[in-house]
């Protein structure tokens, strides 16, 4: 993955004092001092043990508030053309997501708009969406393709995602989602399209360094378990990790298959069964919960949170920011929805958008506050980490630190 733009280097270590620190998994039990140098956390010390006699050697960044890891949005579709506000109206009038797809709407309507857009046009449209995530504390984001559905347009989307990461102060991970929907030119030849994904799309994305992972939409309105397995095996053969949209609308067993091949994550998973949970537990796969899509589509089948919790499967939370089923670009809102709709605790939700989300991207060194970790951090004007989930309230982000320097 190419390096993103780096902030201006500081000449002395940065110091924050009297912080309530959420380290990615838990809130530390006493006020802390945090020191950052050379882009990393070099000291994490209780205030009772911090030597304040040489403060002149630090750049004092302030005191008080809550520090969390920079938020990690591990499932987005930020690069796309057009709008689907008309489909939003249709759903509110009672038309199902599946029926919209059968009519040629849904993903395919975005495909047409994305194919007709230039790279510059896609970049210009995606940039404010990504800036909204950054303003809400995101320091790492995954961006999927999936609205091109041919080799040239899928690679076009990935190039735009890479460009966003090069130009904005955020770490962008890219995912090839060629098997997102069946393009109209392959309407009666789904296996032929899977051949294209496996034989041309994945090799090109890998050889050009455009993809960090490969995803599929394993669902009855998309691709079968067997077809998705073919895509995964092609990805693995080219050294690319795998992820899955699975068990969103029905239980096909895609999660079990994906976990068996070592998938980083299975996402949506509203219809996940006990076999799938067990497979994820054994594989160490992360369950990515997407409450924005659940809310927008007015679904009623909730993910098996209690079963995942009991099995010890790590749960991540993401925006699923996309033009159709989750046109939402506020990560902290997802914390609230994960708790309100799915009964995650605030601690679980915040872990889900920090440490667990980083693991879902195959980046376990991110999303943590610990000595030696990259200094991607947020300081919030709140009293406890639970407030991030409790209130839907913009404007609480005091400081955003990316790769060791202030960027907001």
């Amino acid at each position: 993955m190419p390096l993103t733009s780096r902030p201006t280097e500081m000449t002395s270590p940065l110091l924050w004092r009297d912080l309530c620190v959420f380290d990615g998994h838990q809130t530390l039990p006493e006020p802390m001092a945090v020191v950052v140098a050379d882009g990393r956390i070099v000291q994490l010390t209780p205030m009772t043990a911090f030597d304040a006699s040489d403060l002149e050697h630090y750049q004092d960044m302030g005191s008080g508030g809550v520090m969390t890891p920079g938020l990690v949005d591990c499932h987005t579709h930020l690069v796309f053309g057009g709008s689907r506000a008309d489909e939003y109206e249709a759903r509110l009038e009672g038309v199902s997501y599946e029926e919209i797809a059968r009519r040629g709407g849904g993903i395919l309507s975005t495909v047409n708009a994305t194919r007709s857009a230039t790279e510059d046009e896609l970049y210009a449209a995606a940039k404010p969406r990504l800036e909204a995530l950054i303003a809400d504390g995101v320091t790492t984001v995954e961006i999927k393709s999936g609205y091109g559905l041919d080799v040239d347009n899928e690679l076009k989307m990935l190039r735009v995602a890479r460009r966003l990461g090069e130009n904005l102060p955020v770490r962008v991970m890219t995912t090839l989602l060629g098997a997102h929907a069946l393009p109209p030119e392959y309407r009666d030849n789904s296996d032929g399209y899977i051949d294209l994904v496996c034989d041309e799309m994945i090799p090109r994305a890998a050889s050009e360094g455009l993809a960090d992972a490969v995803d599929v939409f394993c669902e009855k309105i998309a691709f079968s378990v067997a077809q998705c397995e073919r895509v995964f095996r092609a990805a693995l053969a080219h050294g690319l990790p795998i992820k899955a949209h699975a068990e969103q609308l029905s239980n096909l067993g895609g999660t079990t298959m994906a976990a068996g091949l070592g998938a980083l994550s299975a996402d949506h998973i509203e219809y996940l069964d006990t076999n799938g949970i067990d497979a994820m537990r054994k594989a160490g796969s992360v369950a990515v919960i997407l409450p924005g899509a659940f809310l927008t589509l007015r679904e009623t089948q909730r993910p098996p949170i209690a079963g995942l919790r009991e099995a010890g499967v790590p749960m991540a939370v993401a925006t699923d920011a996309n033009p159709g089923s989750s046109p939402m670009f506020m990560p902290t809102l997802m914390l609230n929805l994960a708790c309100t709709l799915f009964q995650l605790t605030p601690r679980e939700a915040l872990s889900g958008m920090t440490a667990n989300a980083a693991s879902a991207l195959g980046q376990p060194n991110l999303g943590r506050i610990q000595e030696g970790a990259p200094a991607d951090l947020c300081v919030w004007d709140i009293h406890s980490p639970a407030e991030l989930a409790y209130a839907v309230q913009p404007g609480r982000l005091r400081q955003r630190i990316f790769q060791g320097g202030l960027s907001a």
Side-chain angles (χ1 to χ4, degrees), residues 124-372:
K127 183 172 180 281
R129 300 171 194 140
L130 182 52
E131 289 172 335
L133 302 188
I134 291 170
D136 206 35
V138 167
T139 54
T140 298
V141 61
E142 183 247 27
I143 300 177
K144 302 179 190 294
S145 65
Y147 298 126
L149 305 188
D150 62 30
V151 175
D152 289 341
N153 283 294
E154 287 292 299
L155 298 185
K156 176 177 73 175
M157 293 182 68
L158 294 174
R159 282 193 296 270
V160 170
R162 287 287 196 227
R163 182 176 163 192
L164 288 164
E166 291 163 359
N167 293 338
L168 295 176
V170 65
R171 182 179 293 98
V172 172
M173 307 288 295
T174 57
T175 297
L176 173 65
L177 180 56
H180 195 194
L182 192 62
E185 59 269 26
Y186 282 88
R187 184 176 293 110
D188 300 316
N189 186 15
S190 61
D191 284 332
Y193 181 65
I194 293 298
D195 289 341
L196 178 73
V197 172
C198 295
D199 298 340
E200 297 185 43
M201 202 177 286
I202 290 173
R204 282 277 306 277
S207 66
E208 296 179 29
L210 291 174
D212 299 311
V214 170
D215 198 349
V216 298
F217 187 16
C218 187
E219 191 52 74
K220 56 189 176 183
I221 63 170
F223 298 99
S224 70
V225 174
Q227 289 172 327
C228 292
E229 183 175 350
R230 286 184 57 204
V231 174
F232 282 160
R233 292 192 181 279
L236 294 170
H238 284 84
L240 294 173
I242 57 174
K243 303 165 66 68
H245 286 59
E247 272 66 66
Q248 180 183 8
L249 305 173
S250 61
N251 181 17
L252 296 185
T255 297
T256 299
M257 178 273 294
L261 292 176
L264 292 173
S265 72
D267 304 25
H268 289 289
I269 60 170
E270 281 88 341
Y271 286 83
L272 184 67
D273 60 15
T274 55
N275 289 334
I277 292 173
D278 189 55
M280 294 188 76
R281 177 188 62 79
K282 292 176 180 176
S285 301
V286 177
V288 179
I289 308 301
L290 303 172
F294 182 91
L295 177 70
T296 302
L297 298 177
R298 296 184 294 168
E299 295 289 352
T300 57
Q301 176 75 30
R302 298 179 181 180
I305 300 299
L308 292 165
R309 184 185 290 136
E310 182 179 356
V313 174
M315 292 180 282
V317 177
T319 62
D320 192 16
N322 74 73
S325 62
S326 189
M328 301 184 184
F329 307 91
M330 186 179 182
T332 55
L333 171 60
M334 298 303 120
L335 299 176
N336 176 277
L337 293 179
C339 296
T340 303
L341 298 177
F342 298 154
Q343 276 116 28
L344 269 69
T345 67
R347 182 195 63 77
E348 287 174 327
L350 191 50
S351 290
M353 202 165 264
T354 53
N356 290 346
S359 293
L361 295 178
Q363 300 291 319
N365 59 319
L366 301 178
R368 300 296 310 278
I369 297 180
Q370 57 187 4
E371 291 182 359

Side-chain angles (χ1 to χ4, degrees), residues 5 29 37-38 45 54 84 108 152 203 207 227 235 256 263 283 376 404 406:
S5 57
D38 298 322
T45 308
D54 59 350
R84 279 154 63 184
L108 291 183
D152 289 341
S207 66
Q227 289 172 327
T256 299
D376 292 352
L406 289 180

